[in-house]
Amino acid sequence: MDEKTMVDLLSEMHTADAFFTVTTDYESDTMIGQISYTYDQMFKRHGTTKQAFEQSLEYYSKNPKKYRDMYEKVVLKLNQN
């Protein structure tokens, strides 16, 4: 998965996680299902899958400079919202 898609997805995921953490009981079975559904919708919107996302995340995590550069973009994007 290209870096731009990863940045967009990670930004959306962190925003969703923050929302769920602040507004609900994050550990409940219902919320875990809702989070999973929300992530699945994000993957569909970006034309990817959970498996492709996880493989890309693993790739970036094994390449520290690329991972750091990508997360710097995520932080910038989150700070713009």
Side-chain angles (χ1 to χ4, degrees):
M1 186 178 307
D2 66 41
E3 185 180 276
K4 182 188 179 325
T5 303
M6 286 295 291
V7 168
D8 290 344
L9 268 169
L10 286 166
S11 298
E12 289 179 29
M13 293 170 117
H14 287 303
T15 300
D17 286 346
F19 173 79
F20 287 124
T21 299
V22 169
T23 61
T24 62
D25 177 10
Y26 193 76
E27 298 297 322
S28 75
D29 290 340
T30 303
M31 264 314 101
I32 291 169
Q34 183 63 38
I35 292 164
S36 179
Y37 174 79
T38 300
Y39 283 2
D40 288 343
Q41 294 304 305
M42 289 176 192
F43 297 140
K44 286 180 186 176
R45 196 169 42 255
H46 290 279
T48 192
T49 64
K50 178 181 179 181
Q51 293 77 21
F53 172 77
E54 289 174 348
Q55 289 172 343
S56 294
L57 193 59
E58 182 177 345
Y59 164 80
Y60 284 103
S61 68
K62 290 180 180 179
N63 295 278
K65 181 173 177 359
K66 288 182 180 184
Y67 191 77
R68 185 182 63 244
D69 291 346
M70 179 183 63
Y71 251 97
E72 286 175 359
K73 292 174 184 171
V74 170
V75 169
L76 286 172
K77 188 171 183 125
L78 289 171
N79 284 332
Q80 291 174 353
N81 292 333

Coordinates of all heavy atoms in Angstrom, one line a residue:
M1 N 0.9 -1.2 0.0 CA 0.0 0.0 0.0 C 0.9 1.2 0.0 O 1.9 1.3 0.7 CB -0.9 -0.1 1.3 CG -1.9 1.0 1.3 SD -3.0 0.8 2.8 CE -3.5 -0.9 2.7
D2 N 0.5 2.2 -0.8 CA 1.4 3.4 -0.9 C 1.3 4.2 0.4 O 0.3 4.1 1.2 CB 1.1 4.2 -2.1 CG -0.3 4.8 -2.1 OD1 -0.8 5.3 -1.0 OD2 -1.0 4.8 -3.2
E3 N 2.3 5.1 0.6 CA 2.3 5.9 1.8 C 1.1 6.8 2.0 O 0.6 6.9 3.1 CB 3.6 6.7 1.8 CG 3.8 7.5 3.1 CD 5.1 8.3 3.1 OE1 6.2 7.7 3.4 OE2 5.0 9.5 2.8
K4 N 0.7 7.4 0.9 CA -0.5 8.3 1.1 C -1.7 7.6 1.6 O -2.4 8.1 2.5 CB -0.8 9.0 -0.3 CG -2.0 10.0 -0.1 CD -2.4 10.5 -1.5 CE -3.6 11.5 -1.4 NZ -4.6 11.3 -0.4
T5 N -2.0 6.4 1.1 CA -3.1 5.6 1.6 C -2.9 5.3 3.0 O -3.9 5.4 3.8 CB -3.4 4.4 0.7 OG1 -3.5 4.8 -0.7 CG2 -4.6 3.6 1.1
M6 N -1.7 4.9 3.4 CA -1.5 4.5 4.8 C -1.7 5.7 5.7 O -2.3 5.6 6.8 CB 0.0 4.0 4.9 CG 0.2 2.6 4.4 SD -0.7 1.3 5.3 CE 0.1 1.3 6.9
V7 N -1.2 6.9 5.3 CA -1.3 8.1 6.1 C -2.8 8.4 6.3 O -3.3 8.7 7.4 CB -0.6 9.3 5.4 CG1 -1.0 10.6 6.1 CG2 0.9 9.1 5.5
D8 N -3.6 8.3 5.2 CA -5.0 8.6 5.3 C -5.7 7.6 6.2 O -6.5 8.0 7.0 CB -5.6 8.6 3.9 CG -5.2 9.7 3.0 OD1 -4.7 10.7 3.5 OD2 -5.4 9.7 1.8
L9 N -5.4 6.3 6.0 CA -6.1 5.3 6.8 C -5.7 5.5 8.3 O -6.6 5.4 9.2 CB -5.7 3.9 6.3 CG -6.6 3.3 5.3 CD1 -6.0 2.0 4.7 CD2 -7.9 3.0 5.9
L10 N -4.4 5.6 8.6 CA -4.0 5.7 10.0 C -4.6 7.0 10.6 O -5.0 6.9 11.8 CB -2.5 5.7 10.1 CG -1.8 4.4 9.8 CD1 -0.3 4.6 9.6 CD2 -2.1 3.4 11.0
S11 N -4.7 8.0 9.9 CA -5.3 9.3 10.4 C -6.7 9.0 10.8 O -7.2 9.4 11.9 CB -5.1 10.4 9.4 OG -3.8 10.7 9.2
E12 N -7.5 8.4 9.9 CA -8.9 8.1 10.1 C -9.0 7.1 11.3 O -9.9 7.3 12.1 CB -9.5 7.5 8.9 CG -9.7 8.5 7.8 CD -10.3 7.9 6.5 OE1 -11.1 6.9 6.6 OE2 -10.0 8.4 5.4
M13 N -8.2 6.1 11.3 CA -8.2 5.1 12.4 C -8.0 5.8 13.8 O -8.7 5.5 14.7 CB -7.3 4.0 12.2 CG -7.6 3.1 11.0 SD -6.3 2.0 10.5 CE -7.2 0.5 10.8
H14 N -7.0 6.6 13.9 CA -6.7 7.3 15.1 C -7.8 8.2 15.5 O -8.1 8.3 16.7 CB -5.4 8.0 15.1 CG -4.1 7.1 15.1 ND1 -3.9 6.2 16.1 CD2 -3.1 7.0 14.2 CE1 -2.8 5.6 15.8 NE2 -2.3 6.0 14.6
T15 N -8.4 8.9 14.6 CA -9.6 9.7 14.9 C -10.7 8.9 15.4 O -11.4 9.3 16.4 CB -10.0 10.5 13.6 OG1 -8.8 11.3 13.2 CG2 -11.1 11.4 13.9
A16 N -11.0 7.8 14.7 CA -12.1 6.9 15.2 C -11.8 6.3 16.6 O -12.7 6.3 17.4 CB -12.3 5.8 14.2
D17 N -10.6 5.9 16.8 CA -10.2 5.4 18.1 C -10.4 6.4 19.2 O -10.9 6.1 20.3 CB -8.8 4.9 18.1 CG -8.5 3.6 17.4 OD1 -9.5 2.9 17.1 OD2 -7.4 3.3 17.1
A18 N -10.0 7.6 18.9 CA -10.2 8.7 19.9 C -11.7 8.9 20.2 O -12.1 9.1 21.3 CB -9.5 10.0 19.4
F19 N -12.5 8.9 19.1 CA -13.9 9.1 19.3 C -14.5 8.0 20.2 O -15.3 8.3 21.1 CB -14.6 9.2 17.9 CG -16.1 9.2 18.0 CD1 -16.8 10.3 18.3 CD2 -16.8 8.0 17.9 CE1 -18.2 10.3 18.5 CE2 -18.2 8.0 18.0 CZ -18.9 9.2 18.3
F20 N -14.2 6.8 19.8 CA -14.7 5.7 20.6 C -14.3 5.6 22.0 O -15.0 5.3 22.9 CB -14.4 4.3 19.9 CG -15.2 4.1 18.7 CD1 -14.5 3.8 17.5 CD2 -16.6 4.1 18.6 CE1 -15.2 3.6 16.3 CE2 -17.3 3.8 17.5 CZ -16.6 3.6 16.3
T21 N -13.0 6.0 22.3 CA -12.5 6.0 23.6 C -13.2 7.1 24.5 O -13.5 6.9 25.6 CB -11.0 6.3 23.6 OG1 -10.3 5.3 22.8 CG2 -10.4 6.4 25.0
V22 N -13.4 8.2 23.9 CA -14.0 9.4 24.6 C -15.5 9.2 24.9 O -16.1 9.5 25.9 CB -13.8 10.7 23.9 CG1 -14.6 11.8 24.5 CG2 -12.3 11.0 23.9
T23 N -16.2 8.6 23.9 CA -17.7 8.5 23.9 C -18.3 7.2 24.4 O -19.5 7.2 24.7 CB -18.3 8.9 22.6 OG1 -17.8 7.9 21.6 CG2 -17.9 10.3 22.1
T24 N -17.5 6.2 24.6 CA -18.1 4.9 24.9 C -17.2 4.1 25.8 O -16.1 4.4 26.1 CB -18.3 4.1 23.6 OG1 -17.0 3.8 23.0 CG2 -19.2 4.8 22.6
D25 N -17.7 2.9 26.2 CA -16.9 1.9 26.9 C -16.2 1.1 25.8 O -16.7 0.2 25.2 CB -17.9 1.0 27.7 CG -17.1 -0.1 28.4 OD1 -15.9 -0.1 28.4 OD2 -17.8 -1.1 28.9
Y26 N -14.9 1.5 25.6 CA -14.1 1.0 24.5 C -13.9 -0.5 24.5 O -13.7 -1.1 23.5 CB -12.8 1.8 24.5 CG -11.9 1.6 23.3 CD1 -12.2 2.3 22.1 CD2 -10.8 0.7 23.3 CE1 -11.5 2.1 20.9 CE2 -10.1 0.6 22.1 CZ -10.4 1.3 21.0 OH -9.6 1.1 19.9
E27 N -14.0 -1.1 25.7 CA -13.7 -2.5 25.9 C -14.9 -3.4 25.7 O -14.8 -4.6 25.6 CB -13.1 -2.7 27.3 CG -11.8 -2.0 27.5 CD -10.7 -2.5 26.5 OE1 -10.6 -3.7 26.2 OE2 -9.9 -1.7 26.1
S28 N -16.1 -2.8 25.6 CA -17.3 -3.6 25.5 C -17.3 -4.4 24.1 O -16.8 -3.9 23.1 CB -18.6 -2.8 25.6 OG -18.8 -2.1 24.4
D29 N -18.0 -5.5 24.1 CA -18.1 -6.3 22.9 C -18.8 -5.6 21.8 O -18.4 -5.7 20.6 CB -18.9 -7.6 23.2 CG -18.1 -8.6 24.0 OD1 -16.8 -8.5 24.1 OD2 -18.7 -9.5 24.6
T30 N -19.8 -4.8 22.1 CA -20.5 -4.0 21.1 C -19.6 -3.0 20.5 O -19.6 -2.8 19.3 CB -21.7 -3.2 21.8 OG1 -22.5 -4.2 22.4 CG2 -22.5 -2.4 20.8
M31 N -18.7 -2.3 21.3 CA -17.8 -1.3 20.7 C -16.7 -2.0 19.9 O -16.4 -1.4 18.9 CB -17.1 -0.5 21.9 CG -17.8 0.8 22.2 SD -18.3 1.8 20.7 CE -20.0 1.4 20.6
I32 N -16.2 -3.1 20.3 CA -15.2 -3.8 19.5 C -15.8 -4.2 18.2 O -15.2 -4.0 17.1 CB -14.7 -5.1 20.3 CG1 -13.9 -4.6 21.5 CG2 -13.9 -6.0 19.3 CD1 -13.6 -5.8 22.5
G33 N -17.1 -4.6 18.1 CA -17.7 -4.9 16.9 C -17.9 -3.6 16.0 O -17.7 -3.6 14.8
Q34 N -18.3 -2.5 16.7 CA -18.5 -1.2 16.0 C -17.1 -0.7 15.4 O -17.1 -0.2 14.3 CB -19.1 -0.2 16.9 CG -19.4 1.1 16.3 CD -20.4 1.0 15.1 OE1 -21.4 0.3 15.2 NE2 -20.2 1.7 14.1
I35 N -16.1 -0.8 16.2 CA -14.8 -0.4 15.7 C -14.4 -1.2 14.5 O -13.9 -0.7 13.5 CB -13.7 -0.5 16.8 CG1 -14.0 0.6 17.9 CG2 -12.3 -0.3 16.3 CD1 -13.3 0.3 19.2
S36 N -14.6 -2.6 14.6 CA -14.2 -3.4 13.5 C -15.0 -3.1 12.2 O -14.5 -3.0 11.1 CB -14.5 -4.9 13.9 OG -14.2 -5.8 12.8
Y37 N -16.3 -2.8 12.4 CA -17.1 -2.4 11.3 C -16.6 -1.1 10.7 O -16.5 -0.9 9.5 CB -18.6 -2.2 11.7 CG -19.5 -1.7 10.7 CD1 -20.0 -2.5 9.6 CD2 -19.9 -0.3 10.7 CE1 -20.8 -1.9 8.6 CE2 -20.7 0.2 9.7 CZ -21.1 -0.6 8.7 OH -21.9 -0.1 7.7
T38 N -16.3 -0.1 11.5 CA -15.8 1.2 11.1 C -14.5 1.0 10.3 O -14.4 1.6 9.2 CB -15.6 2.1 12.3 OG1 -16.8 2.3 13.0 CG2 -15.0 3.5 11.9
Y39 N -13.6 0.2 10.8 CA -12.4 0.0 10.1 C -12.6 -0.7 8.7 O -12.0 -0.3 7.7 CB -11.4 -0.9 10.9 CG -10.7 -0.3 12.0 CD1 -10.9 1.0 12.3 CD2 -9.8 -1.0 12.8 CE1 -10.2 1.6 13.4 CE2 -9.1 -0.4 13.8 CZ -9.3 0.9 14.1 OH -8.6 1.4 15.1
D40 N -13.5 -1.7 8.7 CA -13.9 -2.3 7.4 C -14.4 -1.3 6.4 O -14.1 -1.4 5.2 CB -14.9 -3.4 7.6 CG -14.3 -4.7 8.3 OD1 -13.1 -4.8 8.3 OD2 -15.1 -5.5 8.8
Q41 N -15.2 -0.3 6.9 CA -15.7 0.7 6.0 C -14.6 1.6 5.5 O -14.6 2.0 4.3 CB -16.8 1.5 6.7 CG -18.1 0.7 7.0 CD -18.7 0.1 5.8 OE1 -19.0 0.7 4.8 NE2 -18.8 -1.2 5.9
M42 N -13.6 1.9 6.3 CA -12.5 2.7 5.9 C -11.7 1.9 4.8 O -11.3 2.5 3.8 CB -11.6 3.0 7.1 CG -12.1 3.9 8.1 SD -11.0 4.1 9.5 CE -12.0 5.0 10.6
F43 N -11.5 0.6 5.0 CA -10.7 -0.1 4.1 C -11.4 -0.1 2.7 O -10.8 0.1 1.7 CB -10.5 -1.6 4.5 CG -9.7 -1.7 5.8 CD1 -10.0 -2.6 6.8 CD2 -8.6 -0.9 6.0 CE1 -9.3 -2.8 7.9 CE2 -7.8 -1.1 7.1 CZ -8.2 -2.0 8.1
K44 N -12.7 -0.3 2.7 CA -13.5 -0.3 1.5 C -13.4 1.0 0.8 O -13.2 1.1 -0.4 CB -15.0 -0.6 1.8 CG -15.3 -2.1 2.1 CD -16.7 -2.3 2.4 CE -16.9 -3.7 2.8 NZ -18.3 -4.0 3.2
R45 N -13.6 2.1 1.6 CA -13.5 3.5 1.0 C -12.2 3.7 0.3 O -12.1 4.4 -0.7 CB -13.8 4.5 2.1 CG -14.1 5.9 1.6 CD -14.6 6.8 2.7 NE -13.9 6.8 4.0 CZ -14.4 6.3 5.1 NH1 -15.6 5.7 5.1 NH2 -13.8 6.3 6.2
H46 N -11.1 3.1 0.8 CA -9.8 3.3 0.3 C -9.4 2.2 -0.7 O -8.2 2.1 -1.2 CB -8.7 3.4 1.4 CG -8.9 4.7 2.2 ND1 -8.3 5.9 1.7 CD2 -9.5 5.0 3.3 CE1 -8.6 6.9 2.6 NE2 -9.3 6.3 3.6
G47 N -10.3 1.3 -1.0 CA -10.1 0.2 -2.0 C -9.0 -0.8 -1.5 O -8.2 -1.2 -2.3
T48 N -9.0 -1.1 -0.2 CA -8.1 -2.1 0.3 C -8.7 -3.0 1.3 O -10.0 -3.0 1.4 CB -6.9 -1.3 0.9 OG1 -5.8 -2.3 1.1 CG2 -7.3 -0.6 2.2
T49 N -8.0 -3.9 1.9 CA -8.5 -4.8 2.9 C -7.7 -4.7 4.2 O -6.6 -4.2 4.2 CB -8.3 -6.3 2.3 OG1 -6.9 -6.6 2.2 CG2 -9.1 -6.5 1.0
K50 N -8.2 -5.4 5.2 CA -7.5 -5.4 6.5 C -6.2 -6.1 6.3 O -5.2 -5.7 6.8 CB -8.4 -6.1 7.5 CG -7.7 -6.3 8.9 CD -8.6 -7.0 9.8 CE -7.9 -7.2 11.2 NZ -8.7 -7.9 12.1
Q51 N -6.2 -7.2 5.5 CA -4.9 -8.0 5.3 C -3.9 -7.1 4.6 O -2.7 -7.1 5.0 CB -5.2 -9.2 4.5 CG -6.1 -10.2 5.2 CD -7.6 -9.9 5.3 OE1 -8.0 -9.1 4.4 NE2 -8.3 -10.4 6.2
A52 N -4.3 -6.4 3.6 CA -3.3 -5.5 2.9 C -2.8 -4.4 3.8 O -1.6 -4.1 3.8 CB -4.0 -4.9 1.6
F53 N -3.7 -3.9 4.6 CA -3.3 -2.9 5.6 C -2.2 -3.4 6.6 O -1.2 -2.8 6.8 CB -4.5 -2.3 6.3 CG -4.1 -1.4 7.4 CD1 -3.7 -0.1 7.2 CD2 -4.1 -1.8 8.8 CE1 -3.3 0.8 8.2 CE2 -3.8 -1.0 9.8 CZ -3.4 0.3 9.5
E54 N -2.5 -4.6 7.1 CA -1.6 -5.2 8.1 C -0.3 -5.5 7.5 O 0.8 -5.4 8.1 CB -2.3 -6.4 8.7 CG -3.4 -6.1 9.6 CD -4.2 -7.3 10.2 OE1 -4.0 -8.4 9.6 OE2 -4.9 -7.1 11.1
Q55 N -0.3 -6.0 6.2 CA 1.0 -6.3 5.5 C 1.8 -5.0 5.3 O 3.0 -5.0 5.5 CB 0.7 -7.0 4.2 CG 0.3 -8.4 4.3 CD -0.2 -9.0 3.0 OE1 -0.4 -8.3 2.0 NE2 -0.3 -10.3 3.0
S56 N 1.1 -4.0 4.9 CA 1.8 -2.7 4.7 C 2.3 -2.1 6.0 O 3.4 -1.6 6.1 CB 0.8 -1.7 4.1 OG 0.5 -2.1 2.8
L57 N 1.5 -2.2 7.1 CA 2.0 -1.8 8.4 C 3.2 -2.5 8.8 O 4.2 -2.0 9.3 CB 0.9 -1.9 9.4 CG 1.1 -1.2 10.7 CD1 1.2 0.3 10.5 CD2 -0.1 -1.4 11.6
E58 N 3.2 -3.8 8.6 CA 4.4 -4.6 8.9 C 5.6 -4.2 8.1 O 6.7 -4.1 8.6 CB 4.1 -6.1 8.6 CG 5.3 -7.0 9.0 CD 5.0 -8.5 8.8 OE1 3.8 -8.9 8.7 OE2 5.9 -9.3 8.8
Y59 N 5.4 -3.9 6.8 CA 6.5 -3.5 5.9 C 7.1 -2.2 6.5 O 8.3 -2.0 6.6 CB 6.0 -3.3 4.5 CG 6.9 -2.4 3.7 CD1 8.1 -3.0 3.1 CD2 6.7 -1.1 3.5 CE1 8.9 -2.2 2.3 CE2 7.6 -0.3 2.7 CZ 8.7 -0.9 2.2 OH 9.5 -0.1 1.4
Y60 N 6.2 -1.2 6.7 CA 6.7 0.1 7.2 C 7.4 0.0 8.6 O 8.4 0.6 8.9 CB 5.6 1.1 7.3 CG 5.2 1.7 5.9 CD1 4.0 1.2 5.3 CD2 6.0 2.6 5.3 CE1 3.7 1.7 4.0 CE2 5.6 3.1 4.0 CZ 4.5 2.6 3.4 OH 4.2 3.1 2.2
S61 N 6.9 -0.9 9.5 CA 7.5 -1.0 10.8 C 8.9 -1.7 10.7 O 9.7 -1.5 11.6 CB 6.6 -1.9 11.7 OG 6.5 -3.2 11.3
K62 N 9.1 -2.4 9.6 CA 10.5 -3.0 9.5 C 11.4 -2.0 8.8 O 12.6 -2.4 8.6 CB 10.4 -4.3 8.7 CG 9.7 -5.4 9.5 CD 9.6 -6.7 8.7 CE 8.9 -7.8 9.5 NZ 8.8 -9.0 8.7
N63 N 10.9 -0.9 8.4 CA 11.7 0.2 7.7 C 11.6 1.4 8.5 O 10.8 2.3 8.2 CB 11.3 0.4 6.3 CG 11.5 -0.8 5.4 OD1 12.6 -1.1 4.9 ND2 10.5 -1.7 5.3
P64 N 12.3 1.6 9.6 CA 12.1 2.6 10.6 C 12.1 4.0 10.0 O 11.3 4.8 10.4 CB 13.3 2.5 11.6 CG 13.7 1.1 11.5 CD 13.4 0.7 10.0
K65 N 12.9 4.4 9.0 CA 12.9 5.7 8.5 C 11.6 6.0 7.8 O 10.9 7.0 7.9 CB 14.1 5.9 7.6 CG 14.1 7.4 7.0 CD 15.3 7.7 6.2 CE 15.2 9.1 5.6 NZ 14.1 10.0 5.7
K66 N 11.2 5.0 6.9 CA 9.9 5.1 6.2 C 8.7 5.2 7.2 O 7.8 6.0 7.0 CB 9.7 4.0 5.3 CG 10.6 4.0 4.1 CD 10.3 2.9 3.1 CE 11.2 3.0 1.9 NZ 10.9 2.0 0.9
Y67 N 8.8 4.4 8.3 CA 7.7 4.4 9.3 C 7.7 5.7 10.0 O 6.6 6.3 10.1 CB 8.0 3.3 10.3 CG 6.9 2.9 11.2 CD1 5.8 2.2 10.8 CD2 6.9 3.3 12.5 CE1 4.8 1.9 11.6 CE2 5.9 3.0 13.4 CZ 4.8 2.3 13.0 OH 3.8 2.0 13.8
R68 N 8.8 6.3 10.4 CA 8.8 7.6 11.1 C 8.3 8.7 10.1 O 7.5 9.5 10.5 CB 10.3 7.9 11.5 CG 10.3 9.2 12.4 CD 11.7 9.5 12.8 NE 12.6 9.7 11.7 CZ 13.7 9.0 11.3 NH1 14.0 8.0 12.1 NH2 14.4 9.3 10.3
D69 N 8.8 8.7 8.9 CA 8.4 9.7 7.9 C 6.8 9.6 7.7 O 6.2 10.6 7.7 CB 9.1 9.5 6.6 CG 10.6 9.8 6.6 OD1 11.0 10.5 7.6 OD2 11.3 9.5 5.7
M70 N 6.3 8.4 7.6 CA 4.9 8.2 7.4 C 4.1 8.8 8.6 O 3.2 9.5 8.5 CB 4.6 6.7 7.2 CG 3.1 6.5 7.0 SD 2.7 4.7 6.8 CE 3.2 4.1 8.4
Y71 N 4.6 8.4 9.8 CA 3.9 8.8 11.0 C 4.0 10.3 11.3 O 3.1 10.9 11.8 CB 4.3 8.0 12.3 CG 3.1 7.1 12.7 CD1 3.1 5.8 12.3 CD2 2.1 7.6 13.4 CE1 2.1 5.0 12.6 CE2 1.0 6.8 13.7 CZ 1.0 5.5 13.3 OH -0.1 4.7 13.6
E72 N 5.1 10.9 10.8 CA 5.1 12.4 10.9 C 4.0 13.0 10.1 O 3.4 14.0 10.5 CB 6.5 12.9 10.4 CG 7.6 12.6 11.4 CD 9.0 13.0 10.9 OE1 9.1 13.5 9.8 OE2 9.9 12.8 11.7
K73 N 3.7 12.4 8.9 CA 2.6 12.9 8.1 C 1.3 12.7 8.7 O 0.3 13.5 8.6 CB 2.7 12.3 6.7 CG 3.9 12.8 5.9 CD 4.1 12.0 4.6 CE 5.3 12.5 3.9 NZ 5.7 11.7 2.8
V74 N 1.1 11.5 9.4 CA -0.1 11.2 10.1 C -0.3 12.3 11.2 O -1.4 12.8 11.3 CB -0.1 9.8 10.8 CG1 -1.2 9.6 11.7 CG2 0.0 8.7 9.7
V75 N 0.7 12.6 12.0 CA 0.6 13.6 13.1 C 0.2 15.0 12.5 O -0.7 15.6 13.0 CB 1.9 13.7 13.9 CG1 1.9 14.9 14.8 CG2 2.1 12.3 14.7
L76 N 0.9 15.3 11.4 CA 0.5 16.6 10.7 C -0.9 16.6 10.3 O -1.7 17.6 10.5 CB 1.4 16.9 9.5 CG 2.9 17.3 9.8 CD1 3.7 17.3 8.6 CD2 2.9 18.6 10.5
K77 N -1.4 15.6 9.7 CA -2.8 15.5 9.2 C -3.7 15.5 10.4 O -4.8 16.2 10.3 CB -3.0 14.2 8.4 CG -4.3 14.1 7.8 CD -4.4 12.9 6.8 CE -5.7 12.9 6.1 NZ -5.6 12.9 4.7
L78 N -3.4 14.9 11.5 CA -4.3 14.9 12.7 C -4.3 16.3 13.3 O -5.4 16.7 13.8 CB -3.8 13.9 13.7 CG -4.1 12.4 13.3 CD1 -3.4 11.5 14.3 CD2 -5.6 12.1 13.2
N79 N -3.2 17.0 13.3 CA -3.2 18.3 13.8 C -3.9 19.3 13.0 O -4.3 20.4 13.5 CB -1.7 18.8 14.0 CG -1.1 18.1 15.2 OD1 -1.8 17.7 16.2 ND2 0.2 17.9 15.2
Q80 N -4.2 19.0 11.7 CA -4.9 19.9 10.9 C -6.4 19.8 11.1 O -7.2 20.7 10.8 CB -4.6 19.6 9.4 CG -3.3 20.0 9.0 CD -2.9 19.5 7.6 OE1 -3.7 18.9 6.9 NE2 -1.8 20.0 7.1
N81 N -6.9 18.7 11.7 CA -8.3 18.5 11.9 C -8.8 19.2 13.1 O -8.4 19.5 14.0 CB -8.6 17.0 12.0 CG -8.4 16.3 10.6 OD1 -8.5 16.9 9.6 ND2 -8.1 15.0 10.7

